[in-house]
Amino acid sequence: MSQTQPEDPASRMDSMFLNRLGAAFLLSGVSVWMCSAVGSAVVPEAAPAKPAFSLPGLDNKPIAPFMAHADAEKGDALVHQVCTSCHAVNEGASDGVGPNLSGVAGRRIAGLSNYSYSAALKSQHGHVWSDQALSDWLTSPARFAPGTRMSLVGLPDPAQRADIIAYLHTLGDAEAPAPSSDPKVNP
């Protein structure tokens, strides 16, 4: 008679473990496929005709309509709240972390000879801080001049930007040129 040896419990455990491992991979693959199928059915592949929301400041709208209703007093408060931690605003005051803002409206970009501007602003030197250029700068300095050292994220509200620009017109004696459609074009 042939004797059968009793089954080794360790080999039985190994085969059960391998079966469970295989089942786990199979179920994981099926789950991923199901999620992908449901996601494809629910979310359309084509972009919607109109976005559900828009991020502020991504479109450079003309500032001129807002300038007609700008309030320099509100702009004064905003400048002192947002800007004066880095910028001086009094004529003849020394520059801070940023250049003095006195006379900035209508001045050439990177136009102060005694301030060390970033290369990003030096490349804009031939252009003027028009109302539109100031608005675009305040919307997103990093997008206006990629590589700038300015740490302001941006002001999405065009009415606030217009108030600030109206206040900047009261500083110094420079007259800002008429807003242009292209903020980087010399007027």
Side-chain angles (χ1 to χ4, degrees):
M1 288 195 109
S2 79
Q3 284 186 331
T4 59
Q5 289 187 336
E7 192 175 320
D8 182 21
S11 68
R12 190 173 132 189
M13 292 273 270
D14 286 340
S15 66
M16 287 177 67
F17 173 76
L18 292 175
N19 283 342
R20 287 181 185 153
L21 187 63
F25 279 117
L26 181 64
L27 288 174
S28 295
V30 169
S31 296
V32 168
W33 177 78
M34 291 282 292
C35 289
S36 175
V38 169
S40 294
V42 173
V43 178
E45 286 188 34
K50 182 180 177 189
F53 67 93
S54 64
L55 297 175
L58 292 182
D59 49 349
N60 289 346
K61 293 182 181 178
I63 195 66
F66 296 95
M67 291 302 296
H69 305 289
D71 184 345
E73 287 183 30
K74 287 182 184 176
D76 180 6
L78 286 167
V79 164
H80 282 85
Q81 179 183 5
V82 176
C83 308
T84 56
S85 61
C86 297
H87 297 274
V89 293
N90 300 327
E91 190 171 354
S94 61
D95 297 319
V97 173
N100 190 331
L101 297 179
S102 179
V104 70
R107 180 168 68 207
R108 293 213 177 273
I109 296 175
L112 294 178
S113 60
N114 60 340
Y115 184 78
S116 176
Y117 291 95
S118 65
L121 279 179
K122 285 180 183 176
S123 70
Q124 303 289 329
H125 181 69
H127 306 294
V128 173
W129 284 120
S130 65
D131 290 347
Q132 188 63 49
L134 285 166
S135 176
D136 293 344
W137 170 260
L138 291 170
T139 300
S140 175
R143 194 172 67 235
F144 182 89
T148 184
R149 294 185 307 240
M150 177 86 158
S151 62
L152 179 71
V153 174
L155 299 171
D157 185 356
Q160 286 184 332
R161 292 193 310 269
D163 291 343
I164 289 173
I165 294 165
Y167 174 70
L168 292 176
H169 280 281
T170 69
L171 302 176
D173 57 358
E175 286 293 321
S180 65
S181 59
D182 183 357
K184 297 180 182 177
V185 173
N186 250 343

